[in-house]
């Protein structure tokens, strides 16, 4: 738990001001009219930079970036991601619950051959995604706070990968 703006949560490393930056940006990203578009933009960015990510989706295997962009199932994972992120943002102050939620996502992805390497890709594209979707409303603190939050996912996933190997 956090005590003041400068205190880091011991489990997530996020300070109070960083949690607020994530929540403020999320209230814009998750507006009902933008939700699907925001999620789709994140994954189009991911697929453009890392085409091997396309191959992890059975329904997209062998498709070009252009084909995936038009695929009727393209928004489905994007929306699943948005709902999962919403559950994390809702529980930033409850690190124990947050970590449990992230573990569920980690396990379901590891089973599909998606691991910390692929989740790290998301941390790389998130700053540009925030710039693109939030435009003038985007701040440097929002970008660094999201990277920190997503690095929690990467860390939890790495831990789960070790457990799977053990
Ligand atoms: C912020 C990061 C991400 C979140 C929160 C997330 C969340 C989710 C959720 C909630 C689901 C559906 C339910 C489940 O099986 O857990 C899902 C499915 C899936 N995710 Fe992710 N995901 C993320 C990143 C990725 C990345 C980086 C990849 C691949 C490079 C990926 C590949 C997949 C695949 C292949 C499925 C199954 C899709 C299907 O069969 O329809 N995910 N994801």
């Amino acid at each position: 738990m956090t005590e003041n703006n400068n205190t880091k949560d011991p489990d997530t490393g996020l300070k109070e001001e960083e949690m607020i930056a994530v929540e403020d940006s999320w209230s814009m990203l998750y507006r009902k009219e933008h939700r699907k578009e925001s999620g789709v933009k994140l994954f189009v960015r991911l697929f453009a930079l890392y085409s091997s990510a396309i191959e992890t989706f059975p329904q997209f295997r062998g498709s070009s970036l252009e084909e995936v962009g038009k695929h009727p199932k393209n928004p489905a994972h994007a929306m699943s991601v948005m709902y999962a992120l919403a559950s994390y943002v809702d529980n930033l102050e409850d690190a124990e619950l947050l970590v449990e939620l992230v573990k569920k996502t980690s396990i379901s992805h590891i089973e599909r051959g998606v691991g910390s390497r692929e989740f790290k890709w998301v941390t790389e594209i998130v700053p540009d995604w925030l710039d693109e979707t939030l435009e003038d409303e985007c701040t440097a603190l929002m970008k660094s706070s999201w990277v920190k939050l997503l690095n929690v996912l990467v860390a939890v996933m790495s831990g789960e990968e070790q457990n799977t190997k053990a």
Side-chain angles (χ1 to χ4, degrees):
M1 269 315 114
T2 52
E3 284 160 18
N4 60 48
N5 280 1
N6 298 314
T7 310
K8 281 184 184 174
D9 182 291
D11 293 315
T12 63
L14 262 76
K15 295 179 196 163
E16 187 74 35
E17 60 181 12
E18 292 171 326
M19 293 186 192
I20 293 169
V22 169
E23 286 163 355
D24 285 351
S25 53
W26 188 246
S27 66
M28 296 183 267
L29 294 162
Y30 201 60
R31 262 185 219 137
K32 198 154 190 244
E33 66 273 25
H34 300 310
R35 211 172 279 172
K36 187 169 72 183
E37 198 193 334
S38 301
V40 166
K41 276 184 181 163
L42 179 66
F43 273 78
V44 166
R45 211 167 253 287
L46 181 80
F47 294 147
L49 205 58
Y50 295 104
S51 58
S52 62
I54 295 176
E55 301 305 312
T56 64
F57 288 82
Q59 62 272 42
F60 301 152
R61 221 159 270 161
S63 306
S64 65
L65 180 61
E66 203 190 348
E67 285 163 344
V68 174
K70 290 185 202 146
H71 199 290
K73 289 198 175 158
N74 185 30
H77 178 255
M79 282 307 284
S80 302
V81 173
M82 293 303 275
Y83 293 136
L85 292 177
S87 75
Y88 308 155
V89 176
D90 267 353
N91 292 292
L92 290 176
E93 310 262 355
D94 185 345
E96 207 178 319
L97 177 53
L98 174 63
V99 168
E100 282 310 310
L101 292 167
V102 169
K103 270 189 193 166
K104 278 182 189 284
T105 309
S106 301
I107 293 165
S108 75
H109 284 74
I110 291 170
E111 285 167 354
R112 297 184 170 103
V114 177
S116 53
R117 184 180 73 128
E118 288 78 11
F119 270 54
K120 192 82 198 157
W121 293 344
V122 182
T123 66
E124 289 170 23
I125 58 164
V126 139
D128 285 345
W129 172 64
L130 292 170
D131 267 334
E132 180 191 3
T133 46
L134 301 177
E135 298 177 340
D136 293 348
E137 310 283 349
C138 187
T139 67
L141 183 62
M142 286 174 181
K143 291 192 263 189
S144 59
S145 306
W146 269 99
V147 170
K148 222 171 189 181
L149 175 61
L150 290 169
N151 272 325
V152 174
L153 266 78
V154 174
V156 170
M157 195 143 213
S158 299
E160 289 302 322
E161 283 168 340
Q162 295 309 318
N163 291 343
T164 315
K165 277 185 211 147

